[in-house]
């Protein structure tokens, strides 16, 4: 292939110019979206810098990526010092980051570094009078949706305990003894001898056998005992 029809992207790899331009455009779009997303989530804190005497504006806590807009009159400025010692002594007031001419619209300072940062006013003895501020830059806390939720353990199923079956009530010893005595008495009693003149009819109507009488008596006595038990 000729060099006019392909564009080198990586060493040893040739791609058509059209694909190369598409890849570059997609990369640019991704960068723009990332910057726009960060800007959309950033916050700006307004500080009335002219009223910060006596360290009334200090300290401030700012999330990484947020900004402070210093608003002040033309007889003030904003100086960023490097160390806590310079902040305390009001020395090294040469690093002017916000001039006196921009105070009406405000000096916007974006915080992209974690840790403490120090600002003073470099005009006259304003710093010595307390027009200074410590800004503590902290990392952004994760959103609630980004925190993985821990599933709650499902309660263990407790096995049901079978109810104990009620045993059948056995007859009392007294009832069993009375029933046995009744049966023995009935079986041991001699059958009555019918008179010589007695002769059953051929049809057998009205005749009652001794075994039937014994059975009836036994049933009546057992029923009576069970009622009295």
């Amino acid at each position: 292939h000729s060099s006019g029809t392909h564009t080198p992207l990586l060493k040893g790899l040739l791609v058509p110019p059209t694909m190369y331009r598409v890849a570059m455009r997609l990369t640019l779009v991704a960068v723009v979206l990332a910057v726009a997303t960060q800007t959309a989530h950033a916050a700006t804190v307004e500080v009335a810098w002219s009223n910060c005497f006596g360290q009334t504006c200090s300290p401030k806590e700012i999330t990484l990526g947020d900004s402070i807009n210093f608003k002040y009159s033309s007889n003030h400025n904003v100086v960023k010092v490097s160390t806590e010692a310079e902040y305390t002594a009001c020395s090294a007031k040469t690093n002017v980051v916000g001039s006196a001419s921009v105070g009406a619209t405000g000096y916007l300072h974006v915080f992209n570094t974690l840790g403490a940062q120090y600002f003073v006013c470099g005009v006259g003895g304003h710093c010595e009078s307390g027009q200074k501020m410590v800004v503590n830059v902290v990392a952004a806390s994760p959103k609630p949706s980004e925190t993985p939720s821990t599933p709650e353990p499902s309660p263990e199923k407790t096995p049901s305990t079978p109810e104990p079956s009620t045993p059948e009530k056995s007859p009392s010893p007294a009832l069993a003894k009375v029933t046995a005595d009744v049966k023995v008495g009935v079986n041991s009693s001699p059958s009555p001898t019918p008179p010589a003149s007695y002769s059953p009819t051929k049809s057998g109507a009205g005749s009652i056998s001794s075994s039937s009488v014994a059975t009836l008596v036994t049933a009546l006595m057992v029923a009576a005992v069970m009622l009295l038990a």
Side-chain angles (χ1 to χ4, degrees), residues 48-87:
W49 185 236
S50 299
N51 301 328
C52 289
F53 287 93
Q55 300 191 62
T56 55
C57 301
S58 183
K60 279 271 188 284
E61 185 174 287
I62 290 291
T63 301
L64 185 67
D66 289 352
S67 58
I68 289 180
N69 190 25
F70 293 81
K71 300 292 289 288
Y72 49 92
S73 59
S74 57
N75 61 333
H76 300 281
N77 65 8
V78 180
V79 175
K80 189 173 187 295
V81 296
S82 301
T83 64
E84 184 179 2
E86 293 176 350
Y87 173 83

Side-chain angles (χ1 to χ4, degrees), residues 202-213:
K202 292 182 180 181
S203 61
S207 62
I208 302 176
S209 63
S210 60
S211 60
S212 298
V213 173

Side-chain angles (χ1 to χ4, degrees), residues 23-194:
M24 293 300 295
R25 289 175 182 174
L26 290 176
T27 303
L28 180 61
V29 170
V31 172
V32 171
L33 288 176
V35 173
T37 303
Q38 183 178 1
T39 305
H41 290 288
T44 300
V45 178
E46 297 283 341
V47 171
W49 185 236
S50 299
N51 301 328
C52 289
F53 287 93
Q55 300 191 62
T56 55
C57 301
S58 183
K60 279 271 188 284
E61 185 174 287
I62 290 291
T63 301
L64 185 67
D66 289 352
S67 58
I68 289 180
N69 190 25
F70 293 81
K71 300 292 289 288
Y72 49 92
S73 59
S74 57
N75 61 333
H76 300 281
N77 65 8
V78 180
V79 175
K80 189 173 187 295
V81 296
S82 301
T83 64
E84 184 179 2
E86 293 176 350
Y87 173 83
T88 303
C90 292
S91 59
K93 295 184 288 185
T94 58
N95 184 26
V96 179
V97 292
S99 64
S101 60
V102 301
T105 56
Y107 163 65
L108 187 68
H109 189 92
V110 181
F111 294 87
N112 294 320
T113 306
L114 294 173
Q117 300 186 32
Y118 306 95
F119 298 88
V120 301
C121 180
V123 176
H126 292 179
C127 177
E128 288 78 0
S129 298
Q131 191 183 6
K132 52 186 177 180
M133 180 173 64
V134 179
V135 179
N136 295 312
V137 185
V138 297
S141 57
K143 296 180 181 179
S145 59
E146 297 176 355
T147 304
S149 58
T150 304
E152 297 182 359
S154 58
E156 297 181 358
K157 186 176 180 181
T158 305
S160 58
T161 304
E163 296 182 358
S165 58
T166 305
E168 296 182 359
K169 186 176 181 181
S170 58
S172 61
L175 177 60
K177 184 176 185 305
V178 170
T179 304
D181 292 343
V182 169
K183 290 182 178 180
V184 170
V186 171
N187 294 332
S188 60
S189 59
S191 301
T193 303

